[in-house]
Amino acid sequence: MADPLHTVSALLEPVFRAVTGVDADPVVRASDRADAQVNGALAAAKQVGRNPREVAAEIVAAAAEPLRGVATMEIAGPGFINLTFSDSFVAGELASAARDPHLGVRPTPAAERIIVDYSAPNVAKEMHVGHLRTTIIGDALVRMLEFVGHEVIRENHIGDWGTPFGMLIEHLLDLGETEAANELSVGDLDGFYRQARVKFDSDDEFKQRSRLRVVALQSGDGETLRLWQELVDASAAYFNIVYRKLGVLLTSADLAGESSYHGLLDEVIQRLDRSGLLQQSDGADVVFAPGFVNREGEPLPLIVRKGNGGFNYATSDLACVVDRVERLRATLMLYVVGAPQAQHFEMVWKVCEMAGWLPPPARCVHVQFGSVLGSDRKMFKTRSGDTVKLVELIDEAVERGIAQVRERSPELSPAEQDSVGRMIGIGAVKYADLSTDRIKDYVFDWDRMLSFDGNTAPYLQYAHARIRSIFRRVGVDGQTHLGEVILGDPKERALALRLLGFDQAVNESLERFVPHRLCTYLFDLAQDFTGFYEACPVLRAEDERVRQSRLALCDLTAQVLDRGLGLLGIDVPDRM
RNA sequence: GCCCUCGUAGCUCAAUGGAUAGAGCAACCGGUUUCUACCCGGUUGGUUGGGGGUUCGAGUCCCUCCGAGGGCGCCA
């Protein structure tokens, strides 16, 4: 379909086979010296021990017919083949992309059921800046995966189980349930947690009650469970407020907290025992996964049951895999979790493999990411050194976005300023997070992310708004009676080719689960559009056919920007 | 001590083993300023942390050193 590189590659594969006698990847890539370049002749020639230019020449000769009407070829350098697409091919592909609800993006050839595990805040604890990246990246991946046709199950693995709940429930009782509910509903989760902690550390009687309460919770005491559920519900309600403000897909229906796996924990231990993997070490039940050592160079165990008989997060994570593979029948599990947990997950998944709980094609992928840093390049904190509350960060983003719009667009109504400002502020935060390689740390900088210049959300949103403005003037709502595209000007051609690249951008992003590839593409698209916009009058075009053609380019560009940013979870205003 | 990740222009970042390492910001020069100037074009700027190796070809793969961050048994 849309991606010309993909189309050409498919056409060249049999040619490569015919010429070289082996299966060789044509290696079709974007190029800065032609529309595309074919690099595969060099490697193929090497493989069969022939002269690369000679092989390239044979390929060009043999490909003339298959590529007729698609592209012309030229050999360059040691054996590169430069491709120039024919205008009619580009126009035809563009027309089919414009008719396609997916704008030319190929659906996945192998749809899977995919779990995306992201966000994962803790019950009765404030969401903070540490939850920003997992929530934003996970949400973007969900949207992209669904777009190409996968069945996605969102799972919010909230921390809703464990020893802290003894003290939290006792504190709830001390406060009185009504009072506690009030406190939690206004979002003062940290205050609640801190008070409980203080009492736990200073009051022996409270500490004793808390311990008994943990036992009651784990043994399934009805009243205790009811109180626990109150805490969970109050926190979930608060999380939902934050999610709505941030504009992510997560709802209460996606909650799959640690408590969900409670019933599976015993079974996990039993299964490990039966398969002979379980061992004792210092009083704990453990599994030794090969390849992991501790400080002393001795084998490092994965502890699945503590010396006191309790389970820990490793047990829960093991159960989680079992649940996702055996009950939900997922084949791909994405864990959108920070880089520091890499070793933990490696160990857990290694044990799952040893136990036979990850039969191919089922597999887990750690979609890890770096930290959010302040301008001092240290962990992002408030001026006073405190952890930044997520909700405060979101509110500030909205405030700053609205302030921008008020200053720049006084002609908009106050309501519209608020609405647009919200999109700009939230979009800026999301885009700043998504637009760099997730594995790296990034520096949080309000001024840069909110700038209308450069690789930012506001710049892309603005490019879209400019296009919508054209259609408002012409009184057409896009997509209606738009004619065939004529590629007269080089800028028109560049924009057309870029539009066809949406397909590759989305699919490439998903190959490695890196949203920044899509961001880079959208930025390039916006740049190509402004180049076109400067050089090619649309409404003032002399020829009506040219005018219609340019309107068609504008329309498709707006759609790709809208859809592309939408896949990143970023809203796009029609005017700003 | 061992393991993992990162190191690219003054700054922030790109670059599925391919040709001359690209953008944006900043700086400087210039343009248009009634299809949104919230713009566009150009110039300056690099030993891709250092050194070896593999390869026809390395920012990318391997080894080593330096630097930064993180992890390393009963928290999650």
Side-chain angles (χ1 to χ4, degrees):
Chain A
M1 275 273 295
D3 178 17
L5 305 186
H6 184 263
T7 303
V8 167
S9 185
L11 290 171
L12 286 177
E13 269 168 36
V15 174
F16 268 69
R17 197 177 306 120
V19 169
T20 64
V22 294
D23 279 327
D25 183 354
V27 195
V28 183
R29 299 284 183 263
S31 177
D32 54 352
R33 49 191 78 207
D35 289 343
Q37 61 185 56
V38 182
N39 304 330
L42 289 111
K46 179 74 181 176
Q47 194 185 340
V48 297
R50 296 186 52 195
N51 176 291
R53 264 193 88 93
E54 216 174 277
V55 170
E58 284 181 34
I59 288 168
V60 167
E65 191 50 38
L67 289 191
R68 182 177 305 284
V70 173
T72 55
M73 293 164 284
E74 194 177 335
I75 298 175
F80 297 101
I81 302 169
N82 288 338
L83 296 181
T84 303
F85 297 119
S86 79
D87 285 356
S88 63
F89 170 70
V90 173
E93 294 295 285
L94 213 51
S96 87
R99 282 192 303 270
D100 178 8
H102 283 66
L103 303 173
V105 176
R106 279 166 297 146
T108 175
E112 294 186 79
R113 182 172 295 173
I114 300 175
I115 308 276
V116 181
D117 179 331
Y118 69 112
S119 198
N122 290 310
V123 163
K125 269 186 153 177
E126 190 73 42
M127 291 186 78
H128 54 85
V129 67
H131 296 101
L132 183 67
R133 302 208 73 184
T134 170
T135 306
I136 290 174
I137 294 168
D139 205 61
L141 291 175
V142 167
R143 293 170 196 259
M144 285 192 274
L145 289 166
E146 285 182 341
F147 187 60
V148 300
H150 291 292
E151 183 189 348
V152 179
I153 300 175
R154 300 185 294 269
E155 287 207 342
N156 191 358
H157 198 78
I158 59 171
D160 62 356
W161 203 251
T163 47
F165 283 88
M167 69 176 192
L168 291 169
I169 291 171
E170 286 304 321
H171 181 54
L172 174 82
L173 288 170
D174 286 359
L175 276 181
E177 291 178 45
T178 317
E179 176 58 30
N182 285 341
E183 194 166 314
L184 289 168
S185 66
V186 297
D188 187 16
L189 302 190
D190 271 358
F192 186 89
Y193 192 95
R194 218 173 304 134
Q195 289 164 31
R197 184 85 234 174
V198 165
K199 281 199 281 182
F200 187 85
D201 289 338
S202 62
D203 181 343
D204 282 345
E205 184 269 337
F206 182 83
K207 185 183 273 188
Q208 185 58 26
R209 276 197 280 146
S210 299
R211 288 192 168 141
L212 290 172
R213 189 58 75 174
V214 173
V215 175
L217 179 66
Q218 303 209 323
S219 61
D221 172 65
E223 174 65 4
T224 301
L225 280 173
R226 187 185 65 77
L227 295 166
W228 167 80
Q229 190 68 51
E230 254 184 62
L231 284 175
V232 173
D233 289 347
S235 295
Y238 176 70
F239 299 154
N240 286 337
I241 291 170
V242 177
Y243 293 146
R244 293 297 81 75
K245 282 190 181 200
L246 192 54
V248 296
L249 300 168
L250 289 167
T251 68
S252 294
D254 304 314
L255 293 177
E258 290 162 8
S259 65
S260 333
Y261 308 99
H262 189 219
L264 256 175
L265 302 180
D266 272 318
E267 186 186 332
V268 163
I269 304 294
Q270 284 167 25
R271 284 212 219 173
L272 289 171
D273 196 15
R274 278 203 296 276
S275 56
L277 292 170
L278 203 64
Q279 298 187 39
Q280 309 299 314
S281 177
D282 295 340
D285 289 343
V286 307
V287 178
F288 285 97
F292 297 94
V293 294
N294 65 14
R295 290 173 211 274
E296 285 72 43
E298 297 153 354
L300 179 69
L302 182 72
I303 295 171
V304 296
R305 179 177 247 161
K306 299 186 281 189
N308 67 6
F311 302 111
N312 62 2
Y313 68 119
T315 333
S316 169
D317 283 342
L318 289 168
C320 188
V321 172
V322 169
D323 184 66
R324 289 168 177 179
V325 172
E326 298 181 8
R327 180 178 66 90
L328 295 172
R329 301 280 165 200
T331 48
L332 175 59
M333 284 140 283
L334 301 184
Y335 290 72
V336 188
V337 180
Q341 296 213 45
Q343 180 178 288
H344 167 71
F345 282 129
E346 279 172 31
M347 291 183 77
V348 168
W349 299 335
K350 174 59 84 179
V351 169
C352 287
E353 280 169 25
M354 293 193 296
W357 298 341
L358 271 174
R363 72 260 183 225
C364 296
V365 174
H366 185 191
V367 180
Q368 51 183 303
F369 51 84
S371 308
V372 181
L373 306 179
S375 52
D376 56 358
R377 299 210 61 102
K378 298 194 170 153
M379 296 291 283
F380 189 49
K381 293 271 172 68
T382 62
R383 280 173 299 281
S384 55
D386 295 329
T387 304
V388 178
K389 287 187 178 186
L390 187 53
V391 70
E392 286 175 2
L393 185 145
I394 294 169
D395 288 343
E396 182 167 357
V398 171
E399 278 167 31
R400 285 176 182 263
I402 291 173
Q404 285 268 44
V405 176
R406 287 202 179 129
E407 184 189 328
R408 293 166 183 270
S409 308
E411 74 282 4
L412 297 180
S413 72
E416 201 163 10
Q417 287 174 337
D418 282 8
S419 148
V420 172
R422 186 173 302 275
M423 293 187 204
I424 288 176
I426 299 290
V429 169
K430 287 186 174 180
Y431 192 85
D433 200 304
L434 294 168
S435 60
T436 67
D437 194 351
R438 61 173 161 74
I439 195 66
K440 296 185 180 178
D441 299 343
Y442 81 95
V443 177
F444 194 93
D445 182 336
W446 286 116
D447 290 336
R448 187 179 301 115
M449 69 178 74
L450 280 159
S451 168
F452 284 68
D453 299 317
N455 189 7
T456 66
Y459 175 79
L460 296 179
Q461 290 167 321
Y462 172 62
H464 174 266
R466 285 173 106 182
I467 302 174
R468 299 305 309 161
S469 163
I470 294 173
F471 284 99
R472 270 195 302 278
R473 280 181 171 270
V474 83
V476 177
D477 193 21
Q479 280 187 306
T480 45
H481 312 305
L482 293 178
E484 193 186 336
V485 171
I486 304 159
L487 303 174
D489 191 283
K491 301 284 192 185
E492 289 177 305
R493 199 165 185 287
L495 177 58
L497 281 172
R498 184 72 70 187
L499 285 165
L500 293 180
F502 186 42
D503 177 16
Q504 196 201 24
V506 173
N507 279 291
E508 218 174 75
S509 279
L510 286 177
E511 276 171 29
R512 290 183 295 138
F513 313 110
V514 284
H516 81 279
R517 296 302 295 248
L518 179 55
C519 294
T520 301
Y521 166 78
L522 293 172
F523 179 63
D524 288 341
L525 173 62
Q527 296 248 283
D528 284 332
F529 175 75
T530 49
F532 154 83
Y533 185 82
E534 294 293 322
C536 306
V538 178
L539 299 179
R540 292 179 312 211
E542 58 291 347
D543 183 315
E544 180 56 23
R545 286 174 60 242
V546 171
R547 185 178 131 107
Q548 287 301 320
S549 161
R550 289 179 179 168
L551 278 171
L553 282 171
C554 287
D555 179 46
L556 192 52
T557 303
Q559 286 191 59
V560 171
L561 284 172
D562 189 353
R563 182 50 74 65
L565 286 168
L567 292 178
L568 299 170
I570 296 172
D571 290 328
V572 183
D574 272 345
R575 74 177 81 210
M576 57 191 281

